[in-house]
Amino acid sequence: MAIQQRPLILDVEARPAPLKGLLLSLQHVFAMFGATILVPILLDMPVSVALLASGVGTIIYQIATKAKVPVYLGSSFAYIAAMQIAIDQMGGDVSAAQTGVIMVGLLYVVIAAIINYTGTAWVDKVLPPIVIGPMIIVIGLGLAGNAVTSAGLVMDSDWRTIFVAISTFLITAFVNTQGKGFFKIIPFLIGIAGGYIIAVLLGVVDFTPVIEANWFALPQLYLPFETTTFNSYSFYFGPESWALVPIVLVTVAEHIGDHSVLGKICDREFLKDPGLKRTLIGDGVATAVSGFFGGPANTTYGENTGVIGMTRIASVSVIRNAALIAIFLSFMGKFTALISTIPDAVLGGMSILLYGVIASNGLKVMIEDKVDFNQSRNLIIASSMLVVGLGGAVFDIAGFVTLSGTALSAIVGIILNIILPKQEAEYDPEV
């Protein structure tokens, strides 16, 4: 039986009046904006491409699902660490990272085909909470060092960097805990704005890129072939690319969870109509297209699901128009140049909270499922995954695939979950 919710003001197929619809769409843009632009900023990628990929990806998703699901797709945090490592290992070349993102998107489509014939029961068996929880923790804490360094919390750091970082952190934290209504769902966006203003007052922001930028400019695409207009990369199928693939296990589970939550809000079963096959294909094709154009992986956005839950506006047309606005913003040169001037200190202060929140969500997954750590198997699985994922472990497979970080942690967790006995051996005090 569906969970009872307050009646929707606008159902999925409904269309609001034009002006009201514009405001509702802008609200969704604000909800996704902070997280969507943060991923390319952390990866030193063009923000314009991420905005374009976000909008185009959402429209692709709507086409794949026959406009039956009010989902917005934005930049995924799950792949940040793997993409950073791939870029670093390639000496700054994005070829491995972008090829990996394309492979991830195509794997979504393969999983959709498998689910079409086998159902979803195997997903729950392969990815129980005792595996998913530590995987999410590794994703968050795997980036902790970058956040601390960007925040200036290292030896011989400029006091202005530390002050900006701490201010950004506190603004974000207080908005998240004390904010009301709409402000409560965009704490990171407000944190960026507040930290940026403080950085400007302290004189650590260089506005030269904004002055030199045109008002309108083509997004700074990366394409897998040479052009006279855009940057380029090459398809690369080395181990750095394959390292992104196992993270699909996390994001597929996240995909299913997001659609389940949204279904409860809308009193519909989206995993049956239009079906998990179509939602995965929409998400996967959107991610592959984003990777092709030099953007990050896409994922369903809980921020926008939260907006729907608060406003009771589930109109797909509102989501579609939000996607069109994101595409428009990607062509505004001065706007994207302004975003590029955000100092590392601002991002560092906010990332301390953001990455911690990601990791804490892993704990939440296990707490909500009431994972029993008195059982040795659960303790062994979680402990092994955390040490392997955060300890810098690397496993090279004949020079073809090098597994590390989240990818290696995920594989360790899945294997242990399969081979360790499900029941605890009973203790006999007379033995």
Side-chain angles (χ1 to χ4, degrees):
M1 183 176 69
I3 296 176
Q4 293 297 315
Q5 298 279 352
R6 290 184 291 118
L8 293 173
I9 297 173
L10 284 179
D11 211 332
V12 175
E13 299 84 2
R15 294 173 179 266
L19 180 58
K20 180 180 179 182
L22 176 62
L23 295 175
L24 291 171
S25 295
L26 285 171
Q27 182 172 240
H28 275 284
V29 171
F30 278 113
M32 67 83 182
F33 191 81
T36 294
I37 68 167
L38 180 58
V39 173
I41 290 174
L42 293 173
L43 291 170
D44 197 24
M45 300 170 65
V47 170
S48 58
V49 179
L51 286 172
L52 178 66
S54 170
V56 171
T58 299
I59 291 175
I60 289 173
Y61 175 91
Q62 288 206 5
I63 293 172
T65 58
K66 300 181 178 181
K68 291 185 175 182
V69 190
V71 155
Y72 193 94
L73 299 182
S75 305
S76 173
F77 285 90
Y79 297 89
I80 293 178
M83 290 183 72
Q84 282 181 332
I85 293 171
I87 293 171
D88 290 343
Q89 290 179 341
M90 296 289 288
D93 184 1
V94 302
S95 296
Q98 298 312 129
T99 304
V101 170
I102 295 172
M103 292 163 62
V104 163
L106 295 178
L107 184 55
Y108 262 70
V109 178
V110 172
I111 293 173
I114 294 173
I115 286 176
N116 186 50
Y117 290 101
T118 65
T120 61
W122 64 272
V123 178
D124 296 329
K125 292 181 179 180
V126 173
L127 297 171
I130 186 55
V131 175
I132 288 292
M135 286 170 71
I136 296 174
I137 293 173
V138 169
I139 288 172
L141 296 186
L143 297 166
N146 293 342
V148 170
T149 301
S150 296
L153 299 176
V154 293
M155 294 296 292
D156 301 322
S157 181
D158 187 336
W159 71 268
R160 295 179 300 175
T161 299
I162 298 175
F163 184 81
V164 170
I166 293 175
S167 299
T168 302
F169 173 87
L170 291 175
I171 291 171
T172 306
F174 278 112
V175 170
N176 194 43
T177 55
Q178 302 297 320
K180 303 296 183 183
F182 179 61
F183 290 101
K184 191 174 180 63
I185 66 173
I186 54 170
F188 296 108
L189 185 60
I190 295 175
I192 288 177
Y196 188 83
I197 292 171
I198 293 172
V200 170
L201 295 176
L202 292 178
V204 296
V205 177
D206 180 11
F207 287 105
T208 303
V210 181
I211 297 171
E212 295 177 348
N214 296 321
W215 282 102
F216 291 94
L218 293 174
Q220 297 171 283
L221 304 179
Y222 279 78
L223 299 173
F225 48 81
E226 296 287 343
T227 68
T228 58
T229 306
F230 300 111
N231 302 305
S232 65
Y233 66 92
S234 302
F235 288 125
Y236 175 81
F237 297 96
E240 297 86 355
S241 300
W242 284 97
L244 274 71
V245 172
I247 303 173
V248 168
L249 298 171
V250 177
T251 51
V252 165
E254 179 185 51
H255 176 102
I256 295 172
D258 286 345
H259 283 78
S260 297
V261 171
L262 185 60
K264 292 174 183 177
I265 292 173
C266 299
D267 195 19
R268 298 193 181 202
E269 295 186 3
F270 292 126
L271 296 180
K272 292 184 178 180
D273 183 22
L276 182 57
K277 174 187 174 182
R278 285 187 171 276
T279 63
L280 282 173
I281 288 175
D283 203 342
V285 173
T287 290
V289 169
S290 177
F292 185 88
F293 287 121
N298 278 329
T299 188
T300 51
Y301 257 32
E303 293 90 336
N304 297 85
T305 298
V307 171
I308 293 172
M310 290 178 60
T311 63
R312 313 306 299 167
I313 304 291
S315 170
V316 168
S317 71
V318 170
I319 300 293
R320 181 199 63 230
N321 291 337
L324 294 175
I325 292 172
I327 294 172
F328 172 74
L329 290 175
S330 72
F331 285 85
M332 297 185 67
K334 286 194 180 295
F335 176 76
T336 54
L338 180 65
I339 293 173
S340 72
T341 64
I342 298 174
D344 287 344
V346 172
L347 300 176
M350 184 182 56
S351 296
I352 290 174
L353 178 59
L354 177 63
Y355 297 156
V357 168
I358 292 173
S360 297
N361 281 333
L363 291 174
K364 182 180 178 183
V365 167
M366 293 185 285
I367 291 171
E368 289 183 344
D369 192 67
K370 299 180 180 179
V371 173
D372 183 6
F373 278 98
N374 287 317
Q375 291 191 23
S376 296
R377 74 180 307 273
N378 290 337
L379 191 61
I380 291 170
I381 292 171
S383 301
S384 302
M385 291 180 68
L386 291 175
V387 172
V388 169
L390 300 174
V394 176
F395 184 67
D396 181 71
I397 304 176
F400 176 67
V401 177
T402 301
L403 299 172
S404 62
T406 306
L408 184 56
S409 174
I411 292 173
V412 168
I414 290 170
I415 292 174
L416 289 176
N417 181 62
I418 293 172
I419 66 175
L420 291 179
K422 300 292 183 182
Q423 298 295 327
E424 291 279 72
E426 293 185 4
Y427 172 68
D428 187 349
E430 296 182 0
V431 175

